[in-house]
Amino acid sequence: LAKTTQPISMDSYEGQEVNITCSHNNIATNDYITWYQQFPSQGPRFIIQGYKTKVTNEVASLFIPADRKSSTLSLPRVSLSDTAVYYCLVGDPWTNAGKSTFGDGTTLTVKP
Amino acid sequence: DAGVIQSPRHEVTEMGQEVTLRCKPISGHNSLFWYRQTMMRGLELLIYFNNNVPIDDSGMPEDRFSAKMPNASFSTLKIQPSEPRDSAVYFCASSFQAGYNSPLHFGNGTRLTVT
């Protein structure tokens, strides 16, 4: 399974765009990249998933370069309620979705 | 959609006691996962089921832990006997199918404290 590396923590201010990068140098051909958000006392919540290039939904964008060895979660115009831990997961959903490993995550703190 | 429902939300027990955690997955989801979260080890996958069948239990820490899924709408995680090092938040998650890019939907967890 591909190991992921993320910054331990990040600070931002309300209204700013936040980019969190995840490194996954040994990503396999069939691996997808998935991001989750976790608030205190809650389970992780799915944000976005992608395989290559760019994916956008109503919450975030996910940028994946051609070599797929990293990915960047982009949160536009964050608010205080975006303060949470963000996890990057890499895995093959066809064979080992159940083994998707959560790393340490990135603790994002949004300040007023 | 009520989401994944776990019970109890909090459990405090004494060392040596049996503990049973319960989970009701989202209706129509056929994959179910049990995770454990601690400060030291983060989120760890314990076991997952496809169509009520355990697929991989390699994450179960030891024989004191067991999980069952008697039907598509219910699963239990049992610890017998419990030990203080089992204290953690236990999450249940379900997905439409393990594969097919199906994201995990997590419950709000059971916070277990073993004294």
Side-chain angles (χ1 to χ4, degrees):
Chain A
L1 293 172
K3 177 178 170 57
T4 60
T5 303
Q6 304 173 233
I8 296 297
S9 64
M10 294 181 68
D11 289 344
S12 183
Y13 291 92
E14 283 190 291
Q16 288 187 333
E17 177 184 75
V18 171
N19 296 310
I20 306 175
T21 297
C22 178
S23 297
H24 27 81
N25 290 320
N26 59 340
I27 188 169
T29 302
N30 295 332
D31 286 347
Y32 278 72
I33 301 154
T34 310
W35 286 80
Y36 288 83
Q37 174 192 57
Q38 186 178 25
F39 297 113
S41 302
Q42 295 185 24
R45 182 174 72 100
F46 171 82
I47 301 175
I48 197 166
Q49 183 181 70
Y51 183 80
K52 62 180 180 180
T53 63
K54 177 184 175 182
V55 179
T56 298
N57 61 22
E58 65 278 6
V59 176
S61 294
L62 178 60
F63 298 91
I64 306 169
D67 66 5
R68 302 197 333 117
K69 293 185 183 299
S70 66
S71 58
T72 299
L73 174 72
S74 181
L75 305 172
R77 297 181 298 282
V78 295
S79 63
L80 297 177
S81 62
D82 291 317
T83 293
V85 180
Y86 292 82
Y87 295 97
C88 162
L89 275 72
V90 174
D92 178 352
W94 293 85
T95 60
N96 59 21
K99 279 189 171 289
S100 293
T101 303
F102 286 80
D104 293 332
T106 298
T107 298
L108 172 66
T109 303
V110 180
K111 302 176 182 179
Chain B
D1 183 355
V4 175
I5 300 173
Q6 292 186 246
S7 64
R9 283 281 283 157
H10 302 275
E11 177 79 42
V12 180
T13 191
E14 292 184 347
M15 181 175 64
Q17 297 298 307
E18 177 180 294
V19 175
T20 299
L21 311 181
R22 298 173 175 78
C23 175
K24 177 179 170 56
I26 292 173
S27 178
H29 283 189
N30 52 18
S31 295
L32 183 139
F33 308 79
W34 282 100
Y35 284 85
R36 177 173 68 176
Q37 186 172 37
T38 61
M39 288 293 293
M40 291 296 294
R41 302 176 66 91
L43 268 164
E44 303 174 274
L45 176 66
L46 300 178
I47 185 172
Y48 79 96
F49 296 82
N50 268 0
N51 297 316
N52 313 337
V53 176
I55 301 302
D56 189 335
D57 65 354
S58 60
M60 297 285 261
E62 48 198 274
D63 293 344
R64 297 185 297 105
F65 285 69
S66 63
K68 294 182 179 179
M69 191 164 186
N71 57 62
S73 59
F74 184 66
S75 176
T76 60
L77 178 67
K78 183 178 295 185
I79 308 172
Q80 167 62 21
S82 58
E83 297 182 3
R85 59 190 169 127
D86 301 331
S87 296
V89 180
Y90 290 82
F91 288 104
C92 175
S94 69
S95 71
F96 177 66
Q97 191 160 350
Y100 301 98
N101 309 330
S102 181
L104 301 170
H105 296 259
F106 284 80
N108 283 330
T110 294
R111 180 174 296 277
L112 173 64
T113 303
V114 183
T115 60

Short mmCIF file of all heavy atoms in Angstrom, two decimals, chain A residues 32 34 36 38 41-46 49 87 89 92-104, chain B residues 9 33 35 37 41-43 45 48 56 58 91 97-109 111:
data_model
loop_
_atom_site.label_atom_id
_atom_site.label_comp_id
_atom_site.label_asym_id
_atom_site.label_seq_id
_atom_site.Cartn_x
_atom_site.Cartn_y
_atom_site.Cartn_z
N TYR A 32 -6.33 5.01 -6.35
CA TYR A 32 -7.04 6.28 -6.34
C TYR A 32 -6.63 7.08 -5.11
O TYR A 32 -6.11 6.52 -4.14
CB TYR A 32 -8.56 6.04 -6.32
CG TYR A 32 -9.14 5.76 -7.67
CD1 TYR A 32 -8.91 4.54 -8.30
CD2 TYR A 32 -9.92 6.71 -8.33
CE1 TYR A 32 -9.44 4.27 -9.55
CE2 TYR A 32 -10.46 6.45 -9.57
CZ TYR A 32 -10.21 5.23 -10.19
OH TYR A 32 -10.73 4.97 -11.43
N THR A 34 -7.97 9.67 -2.19
CA THR A 34 -9.20 10.08 -1.52
C THR A 34 -8.86 10.95 -0.32
O THR A 34 -7.91 10.65 0.41
CB THR A 34 -10.00 8.85 -1.05
OG1 THR A 34 -10.13 7.92 -2.12
CG2 THR A 34 -11.39 9.25 -0.58
N TYR A 36 -10.38 12.83 3.23
CA TYR A 36 -11.42 12.86 4.24
C TYR A 36 -11.15 14.02 5.20
O TYR A 36 -10.01 14.44 5.39
CB TYR A 36 -11.46 11.55 5.04
CG TYR A 36 -11.99 10.37 4.28
CD1 TYR A 36 -11.17 9.63 3.43
CD2 TYR A 36 -13.33 9.98 4.42
CE1 TYR A 36 -11.67 8.54 2.73
CE2 TYR A 36 -13.82 8.88 3.72
CZ TYR A 36 -12.98 8.18 2.88
OH TYR A 36 -13.48 7.10 2.18
N GLN A 38 -12.09 15.31 9.24
CA GLN A 38 -12.59 14.85 10.52
C GLN A 38 -12.64 15.99 11.53
O GLN A 38 -11.62 16.64 11.79
CB GLN A 38 -11.73 13.71 11.09
CG GLN A 38 -12.31 13.11 12.36
CD GLN A 38 -11.51 11.95 12.91
OE1 GLN A 38 -10.31 11.82 12.66
NE2 GLN A 38 -12.16 11.07 13.66
N SER A 41 -14.69 14.56 17.80
CA SER A 41 -15.84 13.76 18.26
C SER A 41 -16.74 13.29 17.12
O SER A 41 -17.90 12.95 17.35
CB SER A 41 -16.69 14.53 19.28
OG SER A 41 -15.91 14.90 20.39
N GLN A 42 -16.21 13.29 15.90
CA GLN A 42 -16.96 12.77 14.76
C GLN A 42 -16.09 11.83 13.95
O GLN A 42 -14.86 11.88 14.04
CB GLN A 42 -17.45 13.91 13.87
CG GLN A 42 -18.47 14.83 14.52
CD GLN A 42 -19.00 15.85 13.54
OE1 GLN A 42 -18.99 15.64 12.33
NE2 GLN A 42 -19.48 16.96 14.07
N GLY A 43 -16.74 10.99 13.15
CA GLY A 43 -15.99 10.16 12.24
C GLY A 43 -15.55 10.94 11.02
O GLY A 43 -16.10 11.99 10.71
N PRO A 44 -14.54 10.45 10.31
CA PRO A 44 -14.10 11.13 9.09
C PRO A 44 -15.24 11.22 8.07
O PRO A 44 -16.12 10.35 8.02
CB PRO A 44 -12.98 10.23 8.58
CG PRO A 44 -12.48 9.51 9.79
CD PRO A 44 -13.70 9.30 10.64
N ARG A 45 -15.17 12.27 7.27
CA ARG A 45 -16.22 12.50 6.26
C ARG A 45 -15.54 12.64 4.90
O ARG A 45 -14.58 13.39 4.75
CB ARG A 45 -16.99 13.76 6.60
CG ARG A 45 -18.14 14.10 5.67
CD ARG A 45 -18.92 15.29 6.21
NE ARG A 45 -18.17 16.53 6.10
CZ ARG A 45 -18.34 17.46 5.15
NH1 ARG A 45 -19.22 17.24 4.20
NH2 ARG A 45 -17.63 18.57 5.15
N PHE A 46 -16.05 11.93 3.91
CA PHE A 46 -15.50 11.97 2.56
C PHE A 46 -15.59 13.39 1.99
O PHE A 46 -16.61 14.05 2.10
CB PHE A 46 -16.28 11.01 1.66
CG PHE A 46 -15.96 11.12 0.20
CD1 PHE A 46 -14.84 10.48 -0.32
CD2 PHE A 46 -16.77 11.84 -0.65
CE1 PHE A 46 -14.55 10.56 -1.67
CE2 PHE A 46 -16.49 11.93 -2.01
CZ PHE A 46 -15.38 11.29 -2.52
N GLN A 49 -12.44 12.58 -4.28
CA GLN A 49 -11.61 11.47 -4.74
C GLN A 49 -11.22 11.70 -6.20
O GLN A 49 -12.02 12.25 -6.97
CB GLN A 49 -12.37 10.15 -4.63
CG GLN A 49 -11.58 8.91 -5.01
CD GLN A 49 -12.42 7.65 -4.88
OE1 GLN A 49 -13.34 7.40 -5.66
NE2 GLN A 49 -12.11 6.84 -3.88
N TYR A 87 -7.30 14.05 5.99
CA TYR A 87 -6.54 12.84 5.69
C TYR A 87 -6.50 12.56 4.20
O TYR A 87 -7.52 12.67 3.50
CB TYR A 87 -7.18 11.63 6.37
CG TYR A 87 -7.17 11.65 7.87
CD1 TYR A 87 -8.28 12.09 8.59
CD2 TYR A 87 -6.07 11.19 8.58
CE1 TYR A 87 -8.29 12.09 9.97
CE2 TYR A 87 -6.07 11.18 9.97
CZ TYR A 87 -7.17 11.64 10.64
OH TYR A 87 -7.17 11.63 12.02
N LEU A 89 -5.71 9.54 1.55
CA LEU A 89 -5.61 8.10 1.45
C LEU A 89 -5.32 7.69 0.02
O LEU A 89 -5.84 8.28 -0.92
CB LEU A 89 -6.91 7.42 1.86
CG LEU A 89 -7.16 7.14 3.33
CD1 LEU A 89 -7.44 8.44 4.05
CD2 LEU A 89 -8.32 6.20 3.49
N ASP A 92 -6.07 1.05 -3.93
CA ASP A 92 -6.76 0.46 -5.08
C ASP A 92 -8.16 0.06 -4.63
O ASP A 92 -8.32 -0.89 -3.88
CB ASP A 92 -5.99 -0.76 -5.55
CG ASP A 92 -6.67 -1.47 -6.72
OD1 ASP A 92 -7.82 -1.09 -7.07
OD2 ASP A 92 -6.06 -2.40 -7.26
N PRO A 93 -9.16 0.79 -5.05
CA PRO A 93 -10.51 0.49 -4.55
C PRO A 93 -11.04 -0.87 -5.00
O PRO A 93 -12.00 -1.37 -4.44
CB PRO A 93 -11.35 1.63 -5.13
CG PRO A 93 -10.61 2.07 -6.34
CD PRO A 93 -9.17 1.88 -6.03
N TRP A 94 -10.40 -1.46 -5.98
CA TRP A 94 -10.90 -2.73 -6.48
C TRP A 94 -10.40 -3.91 -5.67
O TRP A 94 -11.06 -4.92 -5.57
CB TRP A 94 -10.48 -2.93 -7.95
CG TRP A 94 -11.14 -1.96 -8.85
CD1 TRP A 94 -10.74 -0.71 -9.15
CD2 TRP A 94 -12.36 -2.17 -9.56
NE1 TRP A 94 -11.63 -0.11 -10.01
CE2 TRP A 94 -12.62 -0.98 -10.29
CE3 TRP A 94 -13.25 -3.23 -9.66
CZ2 TRP A 94 -13.73 -0.84 -11.10
CZ3 TRP A 94 -14.36 -3.10 -10.49
CH2 TRP A 94 -14.58 -1.91 -11.19
N THR A 95 -9.23 -3.77 -5.08
CA THR A 95 -8.67 -4.93 -4.40
C THR A 95 -8.42 -4.71 -2.92
O THR A 95 -8.40 -5.64 -2.15
CB THR A 95 -7.34 -5.36 -5.05
OG1 THR A 95 -6.41 -4.28 -4.96
CG2 THR A 95 -7.56 -5.75 -6.49
N ASN A 96 -8.20 -3.49 -2.52
CA ASN A 96 -7.87 -3.30 -1.11
C ASN A 96 -8.50 -2.05 -0.53
O ASN A 96 -7.92 -1.38 0.29
CB ASN A 96 -6.36 -3.29 -0.87
CG ASN A 96 -5.67 -2.18 -1.65
OD1 ASN A 96 -6.30 -1.21 -2.05
ND2 ASN A 96 -4.38 -2.32 -1.87
N ALA A 97 -9.71 -1.76 -0.97
CA ALA A 97 -10.39 -0.59 -0.42
C ALA A 97 -10.48 -0.68 1.08
O ALA A 97 -10.37 0.30 1.79
CB ALA A 97 -11.79 -0.48 -1.02
N GLY A 98 -10.67 -1.88 1.58
CA GLY A 98 -10.78 -2.03 3.01
C GLY A 98 -9.47 -1.79 3.72
O GLY A 98 -9.45 -1.60 4.94
N LYS A 99 -8.39 -1.76 2.98
CA LYS A 99 -7.09 -1.56 3.62
C LYS A 99 -6.59 -0.14 3.44
O LYS A 99 -5.43 0.13 3.68
CB LYS A 99 -6.07 -2.55 3.06
CG LYS A 99 -6.17 -3.93 3.69
CD LYS A 99 -5.00 -4.78 3.26
CE LYS A 99 -4.97 -6.08 4.04
NZ LYS A 99 -4.59 -5.85 5.44
N SER A 100 -7.43 0.74 2.94
CA SER A 100 -7.00 2.13 2.82
C SER A 100 -6.51 2.62 4.18
O SER A 100 -7.23 2.54 5.16
CB SER A 100 -8.16 3.00 2.34
OG SER A 100 -8.51 2.67 1.02
N THR A 101 -5.30 3.08 4.20
CA THR A 101 -4.66 3.43 5.46
C THR A 101 -4.72 4.93 5.70
O THR A 101 -4.28 5.70 4.85
CB THR A 101 -3.21 2.96 5.46
OG1 THR A 101 -3.17 1.56 5.22
CG2 THR A 101 -2.55 3.25 6.80
N PHE A 102 -5.24 5.30 6.85
CA PHE A 102 -5.24 6.70 7.26
C PHE A 102 -3.88 7.03 7.87
O PHE A 102 -3.46 6.38 8.81
CB PHE A 102 -6.34 6.96 8.27
CG PHE A 102 -7.73 7.00 7.68
CD1 PHE A 102 -8.40 5.82 7.41
CD2 PHE A 102 -8.36 8.20 7.40
CE1 PHE A 102 -9.68 5.85 6.86
CE2 PHE A 102 -9.63 8.23 6.87
CZ PHE A 102 -10.30 7.06 6.59
N GLY A 103 -3.23 8.05 7.35
CA GLY A 103 -1.98 8.51 7.95
C GLY A 103 -2.28 9.41 9.13
O GLY A 103 -3.35 9.32 9.74
N ASP A 104 -1.32 10.26 9.44
CA ASP A 104 -1.49 11.15 10.59
C ASP A 104 -2.39 12.34 10.30
O ASP A 104 -2.86 13.01 11.21
CB ASP A 104 -0.13 11.66 11.06
CG ASP A 104 0.73 10.54 11.64
OD1 ASP A 104 0.13 9.56 12.15
OD2 ASP A 104 1.96 10.63 11.57
N ARG B 9 -22.58 5.59 22.53
CA ARG B 9 -21.64 6.67 22.18
C ARG B 9 -20.45 6.68 23.13
O ARG B 9 -19.34 7.02 22.73
CB ARG B 9 -22.36 8.02 22.25
CG ARG B 9 -23.24 8.28 21.06
CD ARG B 9 -22.42 8.73 19.86
NE ARG B 9 -22.01 10.12 19.96
CZ ARG B 9 -20.98 10.65 19.32
NH1 ARG B 9 -20.23 9.90 18.55
NH2 ARG B 9 -20.69 11.91 19.47
N PHE B 33 -16.88 -1.65 7.84
CA PHE B 33 -15.51 -1.57 8.34
C PHE B 33 -15.54 -1.16 9.81
O PHE B 33 -16.35 -0.33 10.22
CB PHE B 33 -14.72 -0.50 7.57
CG PHE B 33 -14.77 -0.63 6.07
CD1 PHE B 33 -15.87 -0.19 5.35
CD2 PHE B 33 -13.71 -1.20 5.38
CE1 PHE B 33 -15.93 -0.31 3.97
CE2 PHE B 33 -13.75 -1.32 4.00
CZ PHE B 33 -14.85 -0.87 3.30
N TYR B 35 -12.93 0.54 12.59
CA TYR B 35 -11.67 1.23 12.82
C TYR B 35 -11.53 1.56 14.31
O TYR B 35 -12.51 1.66 15.04
CB TYR B 35 -11.62 2.56 12.05
CG TYR B 35 -11.39 2.44 10.57
CD1 TYR B 35 -12.44 2.22 9.69
CD2 TYR B 35 -10.11 2.60 10.04
CE1 TYR B 35 -12.22 2.15 8.33
CE2 TYR B 35 -9.88 2.53 8.68
CZ TYR B 35 -10.94 2.31 7.83
OH TYR B 35 -10.71 2.24 6.48
N GLN B 37 -9.36 4.45 16.77
CA GLN B 37 -8.56 5.67 16.72
C GLN B 37 -8.01 6.01 18.10
O GLN B 37 -8.76 6.11 19.06
CB GLN B 37 -9.37 6.86 16.18
CG GLN B 37 -8.54 8.12 15.97
CD GLN B 37 -9.31 9.22 15.25
OE1 GLN B 37 -10.51 9.41 15.46
NE2 GLN B 37 -8.63 9.93 14.36
N ARG B 41 -1.70 5.94 17.74
CA ARG B 41 -1.68 5.11 16.54
C ARG B 41 -2.58 5.63 15.43
O ARG B 41 -2.61 5.05 14.34
CB ARG B 41 -2.05 3.67 16.90
CG ARG B 41 -1.12 3.04 17.94
CD ARG B 41 -1.61 1.65 18.32
NE ARG B 41 -1.51 0.73 17.21
CZ ARG B 41 -0.45 -0.02 16.94
NH1 ARG B 41 0.61 0.05 17.72
NH2 ARG B 41 -0.46 -0.85 15.92
N GLY B 42 -3.32 6.70 15.70
CA GLY B 42 -4.19 7.24 14.67
C GLY B 42 -5.35 6.30 14.38
O GLY B 42 -5.80 5.56 15.25
N LEU B 43 -5.83 6.34 13.14
CA LEU B 43 -6.95 5.50 12.71
C LEU B 43 -6.42 4.18 12.17
O LEU B 43 -5.66 4.16 11.21
CB LEU B 43 -7.75 6.20 11.63
CG LEU B 43 -8.93 7.05 12.05
CD1 LEU B 43 -9.37 7.97 10.95
CD2 LEU B 43 -10.09 6.17 12.50
N LEU B 45 -7.46 0.30 10.76
CA LEU B 45 -8.50 -0.62 10.30
C LEU B 45 -8.38 -1.93 11.06
O LEU B 45 -7.32 -2.54 11.10
CB LEU B 45 -8.37 -0.87 8.80
CG LEU B 45 -9.34 -1.88 8.22
CD1 LEU B 45 -10.77 -1.36 8.30
CD2 LEU B 45 -8.97 -2.20 6.78
N TYR B 48 -12.86 -5.75 7.99
CA TYR B 48 -13.96 -5.32 7.14
C TYR B 48 -14.69 -6.50 6.54
O TYR B 48 -14.13 -7.59 6.39
CB TYR B 48 -13.51 -4.31 6.09
CG TYR B 48 -12.79 -4.84 4.87
CD1 TYR B 48 -13.49 -5.10 3.69
CD2 TYR B 48 -11.42 -5.00 4.88
CE1 TYR B 48 -12.83 -5.54 2.56
CE2 TYR B 48 -10.75 -5.44 3.76
CZ TYR B 48 -11.45 -5.70 2.59
OH TYR B 48 -10.78 -6.14 1.48
N ASP B 56 -11.08 -9.39 5.71
CA ASP B 56 -9.73 -9.20 6.21
C ASP B 56 -9.80 -8.77 7.67
O ASP B 56 -10.33 -7.71 7.97
CB ASP B 56 -9.00 -8.16 5.38
CG ASP B 56 -7.51 -8.07 5.72
OD1 ASP B 56 -7.12 -8.43 6.84
OD2 ASP B 56 -6.74 -7.63 4.84
N SER B 58 -6.94 -8.89 9.58
CA SER B 58 -5.53 -8.82 9.98
C SER B 58 -5.24 -7.66 10.92
O SER B 58 -4.22 -7.65 11.60
CB SER B 58 -4.63 -8.74 8.75
OG SER B 58 -4.94 -7.59 7.98
N PHE B 91 -14.70 3.34 15.49
CA PHE B 91 -15.59 3.81 14.44
C PHE B 91 -16.03 2.64 13.56
O PHE B 91 -15.25 1.73 13.26
CB PHE B 91 -14.88 4.82 13.54
CG PHE B 91 -14.65 6.16 14.17
CD1 PHE B 91 -13.39 6.52 14.62
CD2 PHE B 91 -15.68 7.07 14.30
CE1 PHE B 91 -13.16 7.75 15.21
CE2 PHE B 91 -15.47 8.31 14.88
CZ PHE B 91 -14.21 8.65 15.34
N GLN B 97 -19.86 -0.50 -1.83
CA GLN B 97 -19.16 -1.74 -2.12
C GLN B 97 -17.67 -1.46 -1.97
O GLN B 97 -17.20 -0.40 -2.35
CB GLN B 97 -19.45 -2.23 -3.53
CG GLN B 97 -18.97 -3.63 -3.81
CD GLN B 97 -19.68 -4.25 -5.00
OE1 GLN B 97 -20.65 -3.71 -5.49
NE2 GLN B 97 -19.20 -5.38 -5.46
N ALA B 98 -16.96 -2.39 -1.41
CA ALA B 98 -15.52 -2.22 -1.26
C ALA B 98 -14.92 -2.31 -2.65
O ALA B 98 -14.68 -3.37 -3.17
CB ALA B 98 -14.95 -3.29 -0.33
N GLY B 99 -14.67 -1.18 -3.20
CA GLY B 99 -14.23 -1.11 -4.58
C GLY B 99 -15.10 -0.09 -5.29
O GLY B 99 -15.86 0.63 -4.67
N TYR B 100 -14.97 0.00 -6.58
CA TYR B 100 -15.81 0.88 -7.37
C TYR B 100 -15.77 2.31 -6.86
O TYR B 100 -16.76 3.04 -6.93
CB TYR B 100 -17.26 0.38 -7.40
CG TYR B 100 -17.39 -1.01 -7.95
CD1 TYR B 100 -17.46 -2.10 -7.11
CD2 TYR B 100 -17.40 -1.24 -9.32
CE1 TYR B 100 -17.56 -3.39 -7.62
CE2 TYR B 100 -17.49 -2.52 -9.83
CZ TYR B 100 -17.57 -3.59 -8.97
OH TYR B 100 -17.66 -4.86 -9.46
N ASN B 101 -14.62 2.72 -6.32
CA ASN B 101 -14.43 4.10 -5.85
C ASN B 101 -15.46 4.54 -4.83
O ASN B 101 -15.76 5.71 -4.71
CB ASN B 101 -14.47 5.07 -7.04
CG ASN B 101 -13.54 4.65 -8.15
OD1 ASN B 101 -12.52 4.04 -7.89
ND2 ASN B 101 -13.90 4.97 -9.36
N SER B 102 -15.99 3.60 -4.10
CA SER B 102 -17.03 3.95 -3.16
C SER B 102 -16.44 4.51 -1.88
O SER B 102 -15.65 3.86 -1.22
CB SER B 102 -17.86 2.70 -2.83
OG SER B 102 -18.88 3.01 -1.94
N PRO B 103 -16.79 5.74 -1.50
CA PRO B 103 -16.22 6.32 -0.28
C PRO B 103 -16.79 5.68 0.97
O PRO B 103 -17.86 5.08 0.96
CB PRO B 103 -16.61 7.80 -0.38
CG PRO B 103 -17.84 7.80 -1.21
CD PRO B 103 -17.70 6.68 -2.18
N LEU B 104 -16.06 5.82 2.04
CA LEU B 104 -16.49 5.33 3.34
C LEU B 104 -17.39 6.35 4.02
O LEU B 104 -17.12 7.55 3.97
CB LEU B 104 -15.27 5.05 4.22
CG LEU B 104 -14.26 4.04 3.70
CD1 LEU B 104 -13.01 4.05 4.57
CD2 LEU B 104 -14.87 2.66 3.69
N HIS B 105 -18.45 5.86 4.66
CA HIS B 105 -19.34 6.70 5.46
C HIS B 105 -19.18 6.25 6.91
O HIS B 105 -19.49 5.10 7.23
CB HIS B 105 -20.78 6.54 5.00
CG HIS B 105 -21.02 7.01 3.60
ND1 HIS B 105 -21.59 8.22 3.30
CD2 HIS B 105 -20.74 6.42 2.41
CE1 HIS B 105 -21.66 8.36 1.99
NE2 HIS B 105 -21.15 7.29 1.42
N PHE B 106 -18.70 7.14 7.75
CA PHE B 106 -18.40 6.80 9.12
C PHE B 106 -19.54 7.18 10.07
O PHE B 106 -20.23 8.19 9.85
CB PHE B 106 -17.15 7.54 9.60
CG PHE B 106 -15.86 6.96 9.09
CD1 PHE B 106 -15.43 7.24 7.81
CD2 PHE B 106 -15.09 6.14 9.89
CE1 PHE B 106 -14.23 6.72 7.32
CE2 PHE B 106 -13.89 5.61 9.43
CZ PHE B 106 -13.46 5.90 8.14
N GLY B 107 -19.68 6.39 11.14
CA GLY B 107 -20.51 6.78 12.24
C GLY B 107 -19.76 7.75 13.14
O GLY B 107 -18.61 8.10 12.86
N ASN B 108 -20.40 8.16 14.22
CA ASN B 108 -19.77 9.11 15.13
C ASN B 108 -18.93 8.45 16.22
O ASN B 108 -18.40 9.13 17.09
CB ASN B 108 -20.81 10.03 15.74
CG ASN B 108 -21.25 11.11 14.77
OD1 ASN B 108 -20.47 11.53 13.92
ND2 ASN B 108 -22.49 11.53 14.88
N GLY B 109 -18.84 7.14 16.16
CA GLY B 109 -17.91 6.45 17.03
C GLY B 109 -18.44 6.11 18.40
O GLY B 109 -19.44 6.66 18.87
N ARG B 111 -16.76 5.95 22.17
CA ARG B 111 -15.57 6.23 22.98
C ARG B 111 -15.52 5.23 24.13
O ARG B 111 -16.38 5.25 25.01
CB ARG B 111 -15.58 7.65 23.53
CG ARG B 111 -14.35 8.00 24.37
CD ARG B 111 -14.33 9.46 24.79
NE ARG B 111 -14.20 10.34 23.63
CZ ARG B 111 -13.05 10.65 23.04
NH1 ARG B 111 -11.91 10.14 23.51
NH2 ARG B 111 -13.03 11.48 22.02
#
